[in-house]
């Protein structure tokens, strides 16, 4: 492979002459004994949206990290606009017109949008001229592609969707002609995801090439021109999107037929296990986010809470789980009032029979520097002894059992949790909480960032718990997931429960209006 550092003009000329923006030829990559990419051949047409799908751990992100210069392939060739190229790091990738928007954003929280965009791309030691030029270019980019964001806003004050726009602006400001997006909608609301796809459509119209890594087949069908399927590190097939179907893609990804719907019988609700009355919860700034909420969840049923992110769901779950103090109200578990205040509130909730799968597995569900077996007992470690008396053999046996039951890959007890894919990290958390036989399970975003095969497995586990007589409270920004799993749907808006719906007859438009407050009642609560 030869080095290539073209100017923007040379890059444009090359792109005009080459029908392919990117070619990967015979790419191989090993991490120790793991063969992450196996003789990958991939051709991406210029001016198209090309999807790459596969299960967690299939090698998608590794392949794109090679293209962006984070990793170096053991063998194979990269061609950009028909010319062989060596990509030693991300600066080389950017010089070749390749930008990447990562699943976890690479932004400095206390810098402004403008400062983040120019960081590392300053023209000289004098920052003022660079900022002035960047401000002008950002206005043009925002106008051309619908990437509106205040250049003087501080990153930590922006929504997740706005932060993602900043990442795209960073890449475009640096001259990206090919843009890689890794699971771009995993943390977006439905409205933000729709806006993102409108942006991608405009980028395609302007001749940009988009590589989209996602596990959401609906998004693949909606936005891509072609889609490539990876499985176990190998490229299985590339198809024209309009000539395939979600079912075919799912089967290619997993290697077997996958049910794209949830199969469950009718619920048989029993006694009330979780009773929440007049709950008021504030956020970290003491602003009320849950405003007098009341509801019940019975044994043998799944109650889903639907709503646009940021309407109090997170604070509600954290309060019930004992992770956030309640300002007012009562929470009863199995008829007994739960006292959850203080630093040990979560431990008291677990002791009372409540298990919690948090919305953000990395921030609240795992210690990523710990090994798999350590995370498998996290929060329950006292049941294995303490200090020098910790029964490590028993803890490791428990983790090994979870690995088998939940098909956690790779099956390595000692691997740091940071080195597992997102879907397998989620399985570690789910196994730990579900296998404790709780009376009540509260689950936030159960399949966020999880591939199609793991989604099917997770949904089946939740249904099994319901059928075993457990009470399950489910929060998800995926309306299809709520409608498929829940036996009753409660809609939350601005901290209030504004409606209840039967999933069997729920109208998506009506639910959407409730979720945005368009049909909100006067704050009437429901059981």
């Amino acid at each position: 492979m030869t080095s290539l550092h073209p100017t923007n003009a040379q890059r444009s000329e090359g792109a005009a002459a080459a029908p392919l923006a990117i070619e990967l030829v015979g790419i191989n990559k090993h991490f120790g004994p793991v063969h992450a990419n196996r003789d990958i051949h991939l051709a991406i047409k210029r001016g198209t949206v090309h999807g790459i799908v596969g299960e967690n751990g299939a090698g998608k992100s590794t392949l794109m990290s090679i293209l962006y210069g984070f990793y170096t392939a053991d063998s194979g060739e990269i061609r950009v606009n028909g010319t062989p190229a060596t990509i030693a790091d991300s600066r080389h990738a950017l010089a070749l017109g390749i930008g990447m928007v990562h699943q976890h954003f690479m932004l400095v929280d206390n810098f402004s949008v403008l400062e983040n965009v120019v960081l590392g791309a300053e023209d000289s030691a004098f920052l003022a001229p660079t900022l002035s030029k960047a401000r002008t270019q950002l206005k043009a980019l925002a106008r051309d592609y619908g990437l509106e964001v205040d250049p003087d806003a501080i990153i930590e004050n922006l929504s997740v969707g706005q932060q993602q726009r900043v990442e795209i602006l960073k890449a475009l400001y640096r001259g990206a002609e090919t843009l890689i997006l890794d699971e771009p909608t995993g943390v977006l609301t439905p409205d933000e995801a729709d806006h993102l796809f409108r942006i991608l459509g405009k980028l395609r119209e302007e001749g940009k090439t988009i590589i989209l890594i996602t596990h959401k087949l609906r998004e693949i069908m909606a936005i891509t021109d072609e889609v490539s399927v990876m499985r176990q590190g190998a490229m299985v097939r590339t198809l024209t999107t309009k000539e395939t179907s979600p079912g075919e893609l799912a089967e290619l990804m997993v290697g077997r037929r996958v049910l794209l719907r949830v199969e469950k019988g009718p619920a048989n609700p029993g006694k009330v296990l979780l009773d929440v009355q007049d709950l008021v919860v504030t956020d970290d700034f003491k602003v009320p986010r849950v405003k007098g909420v009341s509801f019940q969840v019975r044994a043998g049923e799944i109650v889903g809470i639907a709503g646009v992110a940021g309407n109090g769901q997170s604070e509600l779950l954290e309060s019930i789980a004992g992770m956030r103090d309640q300002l007012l109200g009562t929470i009863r578990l199995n008829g007994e009032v739960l006292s959850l205040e203080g630093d040990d509130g979560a431990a008291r909730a677990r002791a009372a029979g409540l298990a919690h799968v948090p919305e953000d597995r990395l921030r609240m569900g795992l210690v990523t520097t710990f090994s798999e077996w350590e995370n498998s007992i996290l929060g329950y470690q006292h049941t294995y002894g303490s200090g020098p008396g910790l029964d490590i053999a028993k803890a490791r046996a428990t983790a090994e059992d979870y690995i088998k039951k939940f098909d956690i890959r790779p099956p390595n007890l000692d691997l740091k949790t940071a080195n597992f894919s997102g879907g397998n990290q989620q399985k570690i958390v789910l196994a730990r909480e579900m296998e404790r036989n709780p009376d009540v399970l509260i689950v936030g975003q159960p399949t966020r960032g999880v591939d199609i095969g793991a989604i099917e497995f997770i949904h089946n586990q939740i249904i099994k718990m319901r059928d075993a007589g457990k009470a399950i409270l489910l929060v998800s920004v995926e309306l299809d997931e709520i409608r498929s799993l829940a036996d009753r749907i409660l809609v939350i808006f601005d901290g209030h429960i504004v409606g209840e719906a039967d999933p069997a007859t729920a109208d998506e438009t009506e639910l959407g209006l409730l979720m945005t407050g368009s049909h909100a009642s006067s704050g009437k609560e429901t059981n």
Side-chain angles (χ1 to χ4, degrees), residues 393-405:
K394 180 181 176 183
R396 289 175 64 87
T398 297
E400 192 165 358
D401 183 50
Y402 292 173
I403 283 174
K404 292 176 182 175
K405 287 182 178 178

Side-chain angles (χ1 to χ4, degrees), residues 139 451 480 502:
K139 286 182 180 178
D451 65 66
D480 286 347
D502 180 348

Side-chain angles (χ1 to χ4, degrees), residues 124-199:
S124 69
F126 300 100
L127 194 56
T130 299
L131 290 174
S132 177
K133 184 186 81 170
R135 187 181 294 274
T136 300
Q137 288 189 232
L138 286 187
K139 286 182 180 178
L141 290 169
R143 180 187 64 243
D144 293 344
Y145 300 118
L147 288 160
E148 298 86 359
V149 62
D150 179 2
D152 297 309
I154 303 302
I155 293 298
E156 62 188 359
N157 296 330
L158 297 178
S159 71
V160 174
Q162 290 171 319
Q163 290 182 28
Q164 187 177 69
R165 290 178 211 172
V166 177
E167 287 281 23
I168 296 173
L169 284 168
K170 277 174 54 181
L172 295 177
Y173 177 75
R174 288 160 169 77
E177 292 294 327
T178 296
L179 192 61
I180 306 165
L181 293 100
D182 188 1
E183 297 287 0
T185 65
V187 292
L188 299 186
T189 68
D191 285 345
E192 288 172 332
D194 288 343
H195 186 75
L196 171 65
F197 288 133
R198 287 193 292 271
I199 291 168

Side-chain angles (χ1 to χ4, degrees), residues 264-309:
K264 62 185 177 77
N268 295 297
K271 67 176 183 176
V272 173
L273 290 182
L274 178 65
D275 186 6
V276 177
Q277 295 297 322
D278 303 317
L279 189 65
V280 177
V281 184
T282 61
D283 63 14
D284 293 340
F285 301 99
K286 306 303 179 185
V287 176
R289 294 299 183 189
V290 179
K291 304 172 182 179
V293 162
S294 298
F295 63 89
Q296 295 176 331
V297 187
R298 299 175 181 274
E301 75 167 345
I302 301 170
V303 173
I305 295 184
V308 177

Side-chain angles (χ1 to χ4, degrees), residues 75-152:
S75 61
E77 184 176 71
I78 299 172
R79 299 173 190 160
V80 180
N81 295 320
T83 304
T86 296
I87 303 178
D89 55 33
S90 60
R91 287 182 299 175
H92 288 167
L94 287 166
L96 290 164
I98 301 168
M100 186 167 184
V101 177
H102 302 270
Q103 188 174 3
H104 302 290
F105 304 146
M106 307 289 187
L107 299 171
V108 181
D109 285 347
N110 59 353
F111 277 21
S112 70
V113 169
L114 195 60
E115 290 166 337
N116 270 278
V117 167
V118 303
L119 189 63
E122 300 86 348
D123 292 328
S124 69
F126 300 100
L127 194 56
T130 299
L131 290 174
S132 177
K133 184 186 81 170
R135 187 181 294 274
T136 300
Q137 288 189 232
L138 286 187
K139 286 182 180 178
L141 290 169
R143 180 187 64 243
D144 293 344
Y145 300 118
L147 288 160
E148 298 86 359
V149 62
D150 179 2
D152 297 309

Side-chain angles (χ1 to χ4, degrees), residues 404-474:
K404 292 176 182 175
K405 287 182 178 178
F406 282 73
D407 190 26
I408 296 167
R409 305 177 194 174
N412 185 340
L413 296 176
D414 297 306
L415 186 66
K416 299 299 182 188
T417 312
N419 295 326
F420 286 86
S421 68
N424 284 293
Q425 288 174 344
Q426 187 75 345
K427 285 183 180 181
I428 292 170
V429 178
L430 285 161
R432 182 184 68 214
E433 302 301 323
M434 288 181 164
E435 289 296 305
R436 292 289 164 173
N437 194 32
D439 294 320
V440 175
L441 175 70
I442 59 174
V443 187
Q445 316 303 340
T447 58
R448 174 175 282 169
V450 174
D451 65 66
I452 192 73
I455 288 173
E456 179 190 40
F457 176 86
I458 290 168
H459 285 175
N460 286 337
Q461 294 302 309
I462 291 172
I463 296 299
K464 283 181 182 178
M465 287 199 72
R466 180 203 72 165
D467 293 345
K470 311 302 182 182
I472 299 170
L473 179 65
L474 170 72

Side-chain angles (χ1 to χ4, degrees), residues 56-67:
N56 293 118
K60 310 182 298 295
S61 294
T62 298
L63 187 65
M64 290 301 101
S65 293
I66 290 170
L67 180 58

Side-chain angles (χ1 to χ4, degrees), residues 212-479:
L212 179 66
I213 304 172
T214 179
H215 69 279
K216 297 181 180 180
L217 297 182
R218 181 175 59 180
E219 295 175 358
I220 287 290
M221 301 304 298
I223 191 66
T224 65
D225 301 294
E226 292 188 315
V227 53
S228 296
V229 183
M230 294 185 68
R231 187 170 74 241
Q232 295 180 354
M235 188 62 68
V236 177
R237 195 172 171 190
T238 294
L239 307 101
T240 301
T241 305
K242 64 183 179 182
E243 296 175 358
T244 187
S245 67
E248 181 182 20
L249 291 174
E251 186 169 347
L252 287 169
M253 287 165 60
V254 180
R256 59 175 174 81
R257 288 193 62 189
V258 177
L259 286 176
L260 297 179
R261 64 186 185 281
V262 177
E263 290 193 340
K264 62 185 177 77
N268 295 297
K271 67 176 183 176
V272 173
L273 290 182
L274 178 65
D275 186 6
V276 177
Q277 295 297 322
D278 303 317
L279 189 65
V280 177
V281 184
T282 61
D283 63 14
D284 293 340
F285 301 99
K286 306 303 179 185
V287 176
R289 294 299 183 189
V290 179
K291 304 172 182 179
V293 162
S294 298
F295 63 89
Q296 295 176 331
V297 187
R298 299 175 181 274
E301 75 167 345
I302 301 170
V303 173
I305 295 184
V308 177
N311 277 277
Q313 306 99 308
S314 297
E315 290 80 7
L316 175 63
L317 286 191
E318 289 170 15
S319 177
I320 296 172
M323 299 176 66
R324 182 180 293 275
D325 288 349
Q326 63 202 61
L327 189 63
L328 295 169
T330 304
I331 300 171
R332 289 183 174 86
L333 188 68
N334 222 345
E336 298 292 327
V337 174
L338 276 180
S339 175
L340 300 173
E341 290 76 17
D343 293 340
D344 61 344
R348 293 202 299 277
R350 285 192 293 270
L354 183 141
H356 175 215
V357 177
E359 291 183 293
D360 188 336
R361 57 179 171 263
L362 295 179
R363 188 168 65 89
M364 294 187 290
L366 298 165
V367 178
T368 56
T369 56
F370 283 13
S371 65
E372 193 282 336
W373 76 264
E374 289 170 314
N375 274 283
S376 288
I377 66 169
L378 203 62
Y380 302 94
Q381 62 270 16
H382 63 279
T383 62
Y384 298 87
S386 62
L390 183 68
D391 191 340
I392 294 176
K394 180 181 176 183
R396 289 175 64 87
T398 297
E400 192 165 358
D401 183 50
Y402 292 173
I403 283 174
K404 292 176 182 175
K405 287 182 178 178
F406 282 73
D407 190 26
I408 296 167
R409 305 177 194 174
N412 185 340
L413 296 176
D414 297 306
L415 186 66
K416 299 299 182 188
T417 312
N419 295 326
F420 286 86
S421 68
N424 284 293
Q425 288 174 344
Q426 187 75 345
K427 285 183 180 181
I428 292 170
V429 178
L430 285 161
R432 182 184 68 214
E433 302 301 323
M434 288 181 164
E435 289 296 305
R436 292 289 164 173
N437 194 32
D439 294 320
V440 175
L441 175 70
I442 59 174
V443 187
Q445 316 303 340
T447 58
R448 174 175 282 169
V450 174
D451 65 66
I452 192 73
I455 288 173
E456 179 190 40
F457 176 86
I458 290 168
H459 285 175
N460 286 337
Q461 294 302 309
I462 291 172
I463 296 299
K464 283 181 182 178
M465 287 199 72
R466 180 203 72 165
D467 293 345
K470 311 302 182 182
I472 299 170
L473 179 65
L474 170 72
V475 168
S476 176
V477 296
E478 300 285 351
L479 191 52

